Amino acid sequence: NKVKTNFCVEKNLCKKWEDFSGVEFKELRNFSKYHSFEPKKNNSYPLKIVHHGIGNKSRKIENMIKGVINCGNNYEGYFYLDTKSKSLDRKLKTLSRNTNVFIMNPIEENSLIKKCYEYDLAILSIFPSNVNYKYCLPNKLFQFIQSRLPIVAGPTPSIIEIINDYKIGVISKSFNAKDLCTAIKSISIDDLIEMKHNCNKAAKDLSWENESNILLSSVSKIKF
């Protein structure tokens, strides 16, 4: 009863919390700090695709891996995964063995944006196995944007909105490997260059320097 302001990281989840609790929730998205990068130039194949994050069964990361494998030798996938399950780790490494996909150790948080800048394209498809995943708006989306990476994404509502608004990627028709492969291959080199430049505007707008004002404004209104 003493809480002054409630926050959640995505607008649909805010609404669900409001319906559940009867109190207002403000959207406070999990933006990264602004990084001043010039988009990395690449005019040739193979294109290097990156994904990073938690590896767990419910996210069905194997769909992204299969999607990149199915793209063929013009594409290479690098998956930096923090996988707690040894059986899942073995499964993903077996799936990617002798293919164009490589399972890598996780990257330290403060190095993620700089490291991912080395790549050409990001893939972000989190299977909607629960409500949080169905409406997720993960920090990796905004880290990819700061890395100036165009994004191939599964059809997650708020991710769709941002990618389409800024024209910084493509949306797969579904979360399955076949559709993810089709989405990846739909991006030409010219598309990639244009999307990377569009990431410049997105990186400025969707930065913590801007979003933090929502938090700071709410704090300033609290009377101690």
Side-chain angles (χ1 to χ4, degrees):
N1 290 334
K2 293 183 179 180
V3 169
K4 301 297 182 184
T5 308
N6 301 279
F7 299 101
C8 190
V9 296
E10 195 271 347
K11 60 186 178 183
N12 292 290
L13 292 176
C14 285
K15 179 65 168 58
K16 289 191 174 295
W17 275 112
E18 288 173 359
D19 292 344
F20 174 77
S21 66
V23 297
E24 181 184 4
F25 273 74
K26 288 185 178 181
E27 185 183 38
L28 183 67
R29 292 166 293 183
N30 203 353
F31 288 176
S32 299
K33 289 184 177 179
Y34 177 72
H35 285 62
S36 180
F37 287 139
E38 281 301 313
K40 179 174 172 283
K41 295 179 180 179
N42 182 18
N43 298 316
S44 62
Y45 293 97
L47 297 181
K48 294 185 176 181
I49 304 170
V50 67
H51 175 86
H52 61 72
I54 295 171
N56 63 30
K57 186 176 180 181
S58 60
R59 293 190 178 192
K60 296 196 176 182
I61 289 172
E62 63 270 19
N63 289 355
M64 288 188 284
I65 291 173
K66 290 176 184 176
V68 177
I69 291 172
N70 292 343
C71 286
N73 292 331
N74 276 340
Y75 301 84
E76 295 176 356
Y78 296 82
F79 287 74
Y80 293 87
L81 301 177
D82 185 4
T83 307
K84 304 300 182 186
S85 166
K86 291 183 179 179
S87 62
L88 179 59
D89 186 56
R90 284 195 299 270
K91 176 183 175 180
L92 298 180
K93 287 179 179 176
T94 299
L95 174 63
S96 61
R97 187 175 298 139
N98 298 322
T99 72
N100 57 335
V101 168
F102 308 92
I103 307 299
M104 316 290 285
N105 292 328
I107 307 169
E108 288 187 11
E109 185 78 17
N110 59 4
S111 301
L112 276 171
I113 292 171
K114 185 176 180 180
K115 178 65 177 177
C116 287
Y117 176 73
E118 299 172 8
Y119 292 87
D120 302 307
L121 189 63
I123 186 166
L124 171 54
S125 180
I126 298 177
F127 193 84
S129 55
N130 57 49
V131 172
N132 279 338
Y133 285 174
K134 182 178 180 180
Y135 296 110
C136 67
L137 194 55
N139 57 346
K140 63 174 62 62
L141 170 67
F142 305 110
Q143 289 163 337
F144 289 148
I145 290 170
Q146 292 301 331
S147 296
R148 306 307 194 269
L149 288 180
I151 300 158
V152 173
T156 301
S158 284
I159 295 177
I160 291 174
E161 189 175 317
I162 287 173
I163 287 177
N164 287 343
D165 282 352
Y166 287 93
K167 297 180 174 56
I168 55 172
V170 296
I171 308 298
S172 172
K173 289 183 179 178
S174 77
F175 296 90
N176 69 40
K178 181 180 178 181
D179 286 334
L180 287 168
C181 173
T182 299
I184 292 168
K185 294 178 76 173
S186 73
I187 301 176
S188 68
I189 293 290
D190 287 343
D191 292 335
L192 195 71
I193 293 169
E194 183 177 354
M195 289 172 182
K196 280 179 173 286
H197 283 289
N198 292 343
C199 281
N200 267 339
K201 176 171 173 49
K204 289 179 180 178
D205 291 352
L206 307 179
S207 66
W208 180 243
E209 286 81 352
N210 289 331
E211 195 77 352
S212 62
N213 292 325
I214 297 171
L215 177 62
L216 296 174
S217 175
S218 297
V219 171
S220 68
K221 294 175 183 176
I222 297 174
K223 296 180 179 179
F224 295 97

